[in-house]
Amino acid sequence: MNKEMAVNAVRILSADMIEKANSGHPGLPLGAAPAAYELWANHMSHNPADPDWMNRDRFILSAGHGSAMLYSLLHLFGYGDLRMEDLKQFRQFGSLTPGHPEYRHTAGVEATTGPLGAGLGMAVGMAAAEKHLAAKFNRDGYPVFDHYTYAMCGDGCLMEGISSEVMSLAGTLGLGKLIVLYDSNCITIEGNTDLAFTEDVSGRFEAFGFQTLEVGDGTDLEEIGRAIAAAKAERDKPSFIKIRTEIGYGVPKKQGKPCAHGEPLGEDNVKALRKSLGWQQEEAFFVPDEVYAHYRELSVNGSRKQAEWEDMFVKYGCEYPRLKAELDSYYDENAAQSLLEDKTYWECEEKAEATRNISGKILNYIKDKVPNLVGGSADLGPSNKTVMNGEGDFSAEEPEGRNIHFGVRELGMAAVANGMLLHGGLKVYTATFFVFVDYMKPMLRLSSLMGIPSISVLSHDSIGVGEDGPTHEPVEQLAMLRSMPNMHVFRPADERETKAAWFSAVTSLCTPTCLVLSRQALPYVGGDAEGALRGGYVLKYEKGDEIDAVLLASGSEVGVAVEAAGLLEKDGIDVRVVSMPCLDIFEEQDEEYKESVLPGRVRKRVVIEAGSSLCWGKYAGIDGGYVTVDCFGASAPAGQLFEKFGFTAQNVAGKVKKMI
């Protein structure tokens, strides 16, 4: 069987899937199928029988709208029993073939892609993880971690700003086993790329520190193969392969035109495609046995490679038993649970201190308890308190370092962290000022969607930033993050709550965590770790049998609530103070617990938080009151701002009195 027939099987299946769904993007699959086939068939180390093989090469389709091509490849190679019936359910509810690739949904999909450029960032993270783990665990003759990361992107991915952020970092870090394949068809939805994209893309990547290669004919398998081989041979710098293709290849009325990008071809054009490609079978979704036999043979090669690696890995364990045991602990998802029984970890100094400072101390304690924890900041490590002392800096020359300098690249940083987590074997944190989480949000959304436990340390959490003014004072960011499904947003009030937040973060298996921390010192309020781990709890109970009002607060405002409760008690008003470090986890508790903390019968409630009131309505209720910030703040010393915006015990007490 000739290889052209194997390539055309990918094209035909993709076209049939999109036609049946009456929805999808045929342009990329038709143009990029030869490059994808050549890579998967002759250069990638992968085993369809074991999609999670630790040393497999990774393939990320950054241009995720071309998912039909990926599903066709997965089916033909025999991944996860992805049946023909699954291809027929392309883009349908509950199918294994959703509109864009989704991690943990379809076997063989390494990352959820769709937002253009995101896949490039995650590919950088995967390559960085491989480089770090190889430096840590490989020994002469034992290449335990020795695999490539391939990303296929299009013009749109490279127009998005994230591509520059992450590719610049990849070049700086010397990620020599990262290979980017650029499906260059010069067409976007609105027309020719000359409308908005005339730069020398290869020149940009050369400036980033990449080896740049070019394939003039995207249908020439031998030329594509030579370029990939040259990319693999360059180990000191990442490689960028520009592959000239034609969008909608094989469809005379659409080839090379914008209309080929994102709409079904139509019945007549699908027939024309079959004729143009010399595909003899007119029946939709029919693949000849000889094609399946060819792909099965390729799959056997992958199984053989894994078997050879496993033989080496057994010998590695015998010669380096301590390293093997440490490596096993890196992949033990429950290893960090031991912190729960660590009495030293939970001890507190019981003094006023900024939660960012407390967090820094915690990080430097748990780094020895969680040795696979790596991470860093967007050029704010000293201020975020996110530097791990004595652990070295991850770099091209020192890949075993645990401190990662992401540079001023918040969006790229979050994407790279996602990729490191997706690779496996590492726990990863990132950090910046809380207001700049706006830049991170699209990639945090992917963390939540994929169910991977990224950790974001976000300091300078409120108008407490003070003199830096409204541009640096986060007011709506808490509401934004709390609105995201599968996201835990912790805003701790003191040392014990901060320790609970970190414990929750490093032990989470499928939920990202944001640690929102203060710049200014906060009073020690006697927080309860067990209560904090349930998201909310009663910090101060009422003295009598009846509750006159409930004060709800998080973070720096919990101390204000406690002080206000003391003032009210002097006036004979009995209030309960509820600390709510994580609304998201509180919502996960059973109704009995939530009722014990916030009795439904008590309708006089006041929310106190230096942020938007938007996410508090369900707790405040129709009769509730708010001491919040629903404007953009101001520039002044922090203490003055808190007073001006009403975050004083006297103001809170006065609001309760008016309510009663």
Side-chain angles (χ1 to χ4, degrees), residues 474-480 482-483 491 552 554 557 583 605-621 624-632 647 655:
V475 293
E476 77 277 21
Q477 281 78 2
L478 279 167
M480 173 188 73
R482 286 169 177 162
S483 72
R491 189 169 183 250
L552 300 92
S554 79
E557 288 69 65
L583 276 62
R605 304 176 179 184
V606 176
V607 170
I608 313 155
E609 185 173 70
S612 169
S613 62
L614 190 62
C615 52
W616 284 98
K618 69 188 302 180
Y619 303 114
Y626 299 88
V627 179
T628 52
V629 181
D630 291 296
C631 64
F632 280 116
F647 294 100
K655 187 172 284 287

Side-chain angles (χ1 to χ4, degrees), residues 54 58 125-139 142-147 316 323 326-327 330-331 371-374 394 399-401 420 423-427:
M54 192 167 72
R58 272 69 168 174
M126 292 179 189
E130 191 273 346
K131 189 178 183 78
H132 175 77
L133 291 167
K136 172 72 178 175
F137 291 105
N138 286 5
R139 294 295 183 268
Y142 295 101
V144 176
F145 293 96
D146 184 19
H147 53 263
Y316 173 82
L323 273 178
E326 186 176 2
L327 176 55
Y330 273 42
Y331 281 83
N372 63 335
L373 181 65
V374 301
F394 179 83
E400 65 273 17
M420 297 184 82
H423 177 278
L426 298 174
K427 293 183 182 292

Side-chain angles (χ1 to χ4, degrees), residues 435 462-463 465-466 468-475 477 632-635 641:
V435 74
S462 70
I463 56 174
V465 172
D468 277 333
T471 63
H472 280 53
E473 292 170 8
V475 293
Q477 281 78 2
F632 280 116
S635 179
L641 288 179

Side-chain angles (χ1 to χ4, degrees), residues 305-638:
K305 288 181 180 179
Q306 180 172 352
E308 292 170 356
W309 178 88
E310 287 178 343
D311 287 343
M312 177 272 297
F313 194 48
V314 170
K315 295 174 184 175
Y316 173 82
C318 294
E319 186 160 348
Y320 299 100
R322 290 185 180 179
L323 273 178
K324 172 61 165 57
E326 186 176 2
L327 176 55
D328 289 343
S329 74
Y330 273 42
Y331 281 83
D332 180 359
E333 292 183 331
N334 296 309
Q337 286 287 346
S338 61
L339 284 171
L340 190 62
E341 307 301 326
D342 186 340
K343 293 181 180 180
T344 302
Y345 177 75
W346 295 105
E347 291 175 355
C348 294
E349 295 184 55
E350 301 187 9
K351 66 177 184 179
E353 193 168 7
T355 50
R356 63 166 173 158
N357 292 343
I358 295 169
S359 173
K361 294 176 184 177
I362 294 169
L363 174 62
N364 275 284
Y365 182 84
I366 64 175
K367 71 180 177 65
D368 297 323
K369 308 294 182 178
V370 187
N372 63 335
L373 181 65
V374 301
S377 179
D379 198 47
L380 291 168
S383 192
N384 297 139
K385 311 300 179 185
T386 49
V387 177
M388 290 187 284
N389 300 328
E391 295 301 331
D393 299 325
F394 179 83
S395 66
E397 298 75 28
E398 189 184 350
E400 65 273 17
R402 294 171 66 185
N403 289 297
I404 304 173
H405 296 276
F406 291 102
V408 188
R409 304 181 178 99
E410 291 89 354
L411 178 61
M413 171 178 69
V416 170
N418 284 351
M420 297 184 82
L421 285 164
L422 289 168
H423 177 278
L426 298 174
K427 293 183 182 292
V428 188
Y429 67 88
T430 58
T432 187
F433 289 165
F434 186 32
V435 74
F436 301 135
V437 76
D438 288 337
Y439 288 138
M440 298 172 67
K441 191 262 185 183
M443 298 304 110
L444 292 181
R445 184 175 187 272
L446 285 182
S447 304
S448 297
L449 180 58
M450 290 187 285
I452 55 176
S454 64
I455 302 171
S456 304
V457 180
L458 306 166
S459 68
H460 297 57
D461 70 334
S462 70
I463 56 174
V465 172
E467 292 89 344
D468 277 333
T471 63
H472 280 53
E473 292 170 8
V475 293
E476 77 277 21
Q477 281 78 2
L478 279 167
M480 173 188 73
L481 290 178
R482 286 169 177 162
S483 72
M484 198 181 302
N486 191 39
M487 171 66 75
H488 290 164
V489 184
F490 268 97
R491 189 169 183 250
D494 66 3
E495 183 176 359
R496 189 161 279 116
E497 287 192 2
T498 307
K499 288 187 171 182
W502 263 108
F503 174 79
S504 179
V506 296
T507 57
S508 177
L509 299 182
C510 56
T511 301
T513 303
C514 290
L515 307 177
V516 182
L517 308 171
S518 74
R519 175 197 189 192
Q520 72 279 13
L522 306 183
Y524 181 76
V525 297
D528 174 54
E530 184 179 350
L533 289 171
R534 301 191 75 168
Y537 63 99
V538 180
L539 177 65
K540 180 185 179 299
Y541 280 93
E542 61 284 357
K543 301 225 180 258
D545 295 331
E546 294 299 324
I547 309 172
D548 293 323
V550 176
L551 304 181
L552 300 92
S554 79
S556 53
E557 288 69 65
V558 174
V560 175
V562 171
E563 188 180 350
L567 294 177
L568 290 165
E569 281 180 9
K570 293 178 181 178
D571 292 329
I573 300 172
D574 207 1
V575 300
R576 172 181 288 192
V577 177
V578 173
S579 178
M580 297 281 281
C582 185
L583 276 62
D584 315 282
I585 292 181
F586 185 72
E587 277 302 302
E588 296 169 7
Q589 306 306 304
D590 58 56
E591 292 302 320
E592 182 180 359
Y593 178 76
K594 288 190 282 188
E595 174 66 19
S596 73
V597 176
L598 295 173
R601 69 181 186 279
V602 184
R603 298 182 59 166
K604 293 180 174 59
R605 304 176 179 184
V606 176
V607 170
I608 313 155
E609 185 173 70
S612 169
S613 62
L614 190 62
C615 52
W616 284 98
K618 69 188 302 180
Y619 303 114
I622 196 169
D623 297 326
Y626 299 88
V627 179
T628 52
V629 181
D630 291 296
C631 64
F632 280 116
S635 179

Side-chain angles (χ1 to χ4, degrees), residues 8 11-16 26 30 248-252 255 265-279:
N8 287 339
R11 288 171 165 147
I12 293 297
L13 282 176
S14 298
D16 285 345
L30 296 181
Y249 179 89
V251 183
Q255 185 169 316
L265 297 173
E267 185 178 346
D268 289 343
N269 282 319
V270 172
K271 289 181 180 178
L273 173 66
R274 281 175 155 78
K275 182 178 180 180
S276 173
L277 298 179
W279 191 260

